[in-house]
Amino acid sequence: MFASHGGQLVMGMFGGMKGADQMMMQVGGWIQLVGGFMIAFGFLTRLAAFVASGEMAVAYFMMHAPSGFFPIRNHGELAVFYCWFFFFTIFYGAGRWSVDAVIGKGKAAATAA
């Protein structure tokens, strides 16, 4: 879902988004598109989640908070949710079925031998 929002901004998929021609929105779109796929597949998950969490915090405070602080009033629920979910993912990691786990198994087997 996070990558879908990036696709809206960068490629105009799913009807596009208003303001997608602005540089800040393009950078955010690329972070969402690439970071969303990296997190979904579990490739460099903690790094991608760190960048994505920061991007969503910036998105909330720059785009949503000026309309009112509380997310229910400024329609920033998704930005807050993604920010905290990715912050959790930084510490939890990708899980056992991720690309990171497969790479980690290969490193563990090589050091054990």
Side-chain angles (χ1 to χ4, degrees), residues 16-95:
M17 278 184 84
K18 181 180 176 186
D21 56 342
Q22 299 171 2
M23 184 62 175
M24 180 82 89
M25 297 287 271
Q26 285 289 310
V27 170
W30 280 108
I31 290 171
Q32 291 172 11
L33 183 64
V34 174
F37 282 122
M38 289 173 70
I39 293 167
F41 291 115
F43 178 67
L44 299 175
T45 307
R46 292 174 195 253
L47 176 64
F50 178 76
V51 173
S53 177
E55 190 246 346
M56 285 289 96
V58 168
Y60 180 76
F61 286 108
M62 287 186 73
M63 303 296 179
H64 297 283
S67 300
F69 182 73
F70 295 104
I72 197 70
R73 292 196 29 94
N74 62 28
H75 306 290
E77 298 96 344
L78 270 179
V80 172
F81 171 77
Y82 279 134
C83 180
W84 285 107
F85 173 75
F86 293 138
F87 190 71
F88 168 76
T89 305
I90 294 168
F91 296 103
Y92 187 75

